[in-house]
Amino acid sequence: MFATVACSSSEEPGEGTKKVEVFTWWADGGEKAGLDGLVGVFKTDCADYEFLNGAVAGGAGSNAKQVLASRLQQNDPPDTFQAHAGAELSDYINDDQLEDLSAQYTEWGLTNAFPKGLIDNLTVGGKIYSVPANIHRANVLWSNKTVLAKAGITKDATTIDGFFADLDKLKAAGVAAPLALGKDWTQQMLFEALLISKLGPEKFNGLWNGSTPWTGAEMTAAINDYKRLLTYTNKDRDTFDWTDAEKLLMDGKAAYQLMGDWEAADLDAKGFKDYGWSVFPGNGNVFQWLADSFVLPKGAKNADGTKCWLKTVGSATGQAAFNQKKGSIPARTDVGTDGFPAYQQAAMADWKTATQVPSCPHGSACAQTWQGAVGSAQGKFSSDGDVAALQTALASAAAEFGPKK
Ligand code: GAL
């Protein structure tokens, strides 16, 4: 095959285009570094095509999701876009927006390359509609080592009570808001990590499959603990993206941040070395997972080029290049640990033995409508702290958007 020079001077893809527009929200830091790693492999493996970066920055993904929704509605899809495995992917499948990739799975030998559970999360009605790029872990507590040392904290807390005690120590040592927090889905993540500790993995899973009620006393107790946790966070949280909260940690104004492991890549990309990590206190050996995957939307202008992109995403070389920079681990089971930073090597080991639970804000546990309802209930709670109102709103969201009995 001959490498092709872009045949059009326009940046817009069109009929007969060689460009493959890849739509993500990975515009900066470790996320951009991960994408760049994948693009490097695409350039070699798909020299007939040209990568067109369709990343939409800002709002940590929420801007991108809005733009994507309106483009899909106007029948103007990008050639491919990122979508989370699980319920979020089903949204697009049920709306008939994606092409079936089952034939490509057979052709590229992907069917046995990924764990069976993940394949199940990507399959609807016996067909498979996307190629996973990674597995991220959501329930990680990042820390600033110097701030912890100054407050005399030498060990990671393993229970919620131990965590409250450490947060109190930090406050006493003059760290006014030791737990850095952002808005929207970042608050959902913190609440879910706490729920995993309070309910245990089985009951936590039950919140999403309908077997655990949102109305019980255990949930009330968890919301009360969450309310207490918020008292250790920055008051301006509702104006902060996850990267603004991360900056508080880097600047030593906070000691901790609960965030997915894209934070490892982002701290590395920003050159901040003084960080530690642990599983969120009380989560034990639970791995709260999410997976980014890429799709072939119906009506994509360059379906052949997109298939080449998807083949790269699913390849062992593509997954190594992407995940070494993205903070996540390969979804494929045959990629070795060589070349991965220490954090990911530890996550790769954990993934093999841990109990897996999904994430609602990152699509593996719930559809986007449900996520939106939880998000607004928590946003309201962030300003009014009304425990009963939050519990009622969460229960109605589950009744409206959760599995029907
Ligand atoms: C998640 C996505 C991750 C990371 C994160 C923060 O939804 O799966 O790859 O990008 O958002 O932007």
Side-chain angles (χ1 to χ4, degrees):
M1 286 220 192
F2 296 102
T4 312
V5 177
C7 54
S8 145
S9 57
S10 152
E11 272 302 297
E12 290 298 316
E15 286 301 322
T17 182
K18 294 290 174 192
K19 293 178 200 276
V20 180
E21 189 196 2
V22 178
F23 186 98
T24 68
W25 56 83
W26 300 332
D28 300 297
E31 303 189 306
K32 166 102 178 20
L35 184 60
D36 288 347
L38 199 50
V39 172
V41 181
F42 174 75
K43 281 189 176 152
T44 312
D45 289 1
C46 303
D48 282 353
Y49 300 105
E50 198 185 329
F51 169 79
L52 178 64
N53 194 348
V56 173
S62 46
N63 294 0
K65 281 187 176 169
Q66 273 174 21
V67 173
L68 180 64
S70 82
R71 285 188 61 175
L72 291 176
Q73 210 183 5
Q74 291 157 21
N75 280 328
D76 174 32
D79 292 305
T80 184
F81 59 86
Q82 71 180 101
H84 290 119
E88 182 180 311
L89 191 68
S90 305
D91 287 347
Y92 299 113
I93 299 170
N94 295 335
D95 289 348
D96 201 23
Q97 289 165 326
L98 304 182
E99 296 286 358
D100 172 20
L101 296 170
S102 308
Q104 282 69 40
Y105 264 67
T106 310
E107 188 187 331
W108 302 337
L110 293 184
T111 315
N112 295 319
F114 301 116
K116 177 160 181 319
L118 179 58
I119 294 274
D120 290 347
N121 279 290
L122 297 165
T123 307
V124 170
K127 295 181 180 164
I128 184 148
Y129 293 86
S130 75
V131 178
N134 63 0
I135 303 284
H136 265 303
R137 187 176 200 168
N139 57 334
V140 189
L141 188 67
W142 305 93
S143 54
N144 179 313
K145 286 185 181 170
T146 303
V147 176
L148 291 187
K150 275 195 195 148
I153 297 167
T154 52
K155 268 206 208 137
D156 298 326
T158 54
T159 61
I160 292 297
D161 285 346
F163 189 41
F164 280 134
D166 286 347
L167 289 165
D168 284 332
K169 271 190 207 161
L170 284 153
K171 273 201 162 184
V175 187
L179 179 59
L181 186 59
K183 61 184 172 181
D184 302 335
W185 55 265
T186 72
Q187 295 179 12
Q188 294 183 48
M189 289 185 76
L190 180 63
F191 183 50
E192 288 194 354
L194 180 71
L195 287 178
I196 295 169
S197 298
K198 299 288 288 182
L199 304 178
E202 204 172 314
K203 282 191 187 163
F204 178 81
N205 281 332
L207 293 172
W208 313 108
N209 67 29
S211 63
T212 305
W214 290 80
T215 44
E218 271 182 318
M219 181 58 71
T220 316
I223 298 176
N224 275 304
D225 271 5
Y226 176 62
K227 185 171 179 172
R228 181 168 170 204
L229 265 189
L230 289 185
T231 64
Y232 298 95
T233 68
N234 42 298
K235 290 204 169 52
D236 47 6
R237 57 188 176 254
D238 291 313
T239 62
F240 272 27
D241 279 341
W242 72 272
T243 41
D244 300 317
E246 177 197 42
K247 188 163 185 313
L248 293 178
L249 182 108
M250 290 166 65
D251 291 349
K253 293 185 179 145
Y256 298 113
Q257 183 188 8
L258 178 282
M259 189 42 56
D261 51 12
W262 43 90
E263 178 129 340
D266 207 56
L267 292 168
D268 289 347
K270 290 172 178 163
F272 181 77
K273 296 193 170 51
D274 191 28
Y275 70 89
W277 72 80
S278 68
V279 177
F280 188 76
N283 279 195
N285 194 24
V286 172
F287 194 119
Q288 190 183 28
W289 72 275
L290 58 121
D292 297 306
S293 69
F294 283 91
V295 299
L296 173 57
K298 289 201 167 155
K301 296 188 184 68
N302 186 355
D304 287 341
T306 302
K307 284 180 190 156
C308 203
W309 170 261
L310 296 175
K311 190 173 178 187
T312 304
V313 168
S315 69
T317 331
Q319 300 230 328
F322 176 64
N323 288 293
Q324 283 171 8
K325 297 286 181 203
K326 181 69 168 69
S328 42
I329 63 176
R332 289 184 72 108
T333 52
D334 59 355
V335 180
T337 54
D338 282 1
F340 279 85
Y343 167 76
Q344 278 107 309
Q345 297 211 9
M348 281 160 118
D350 280 1
W351 175 242
K352 291 194 179 128
T353 58
T355 305
Q356 297 171 16
V357 301
S359 150
C360 177
H362 301 289
S364 43
C366 70
Q368 295 191 58
T369 42
W370 195 354
Q371 181 196 335
V374 174
S376 32
Q378 280 198 236
K380 189 165 167 293
F381 185 75
S382 179
S383 44
D384 69 15
D386 184 337
V387 172
L390 176 58
Q391 187 162 7
T392 305
L394 293 174
S396 341
E400 186 171 359
F401 302 112
K404 302 284 173 259
K405 295 245 161 80

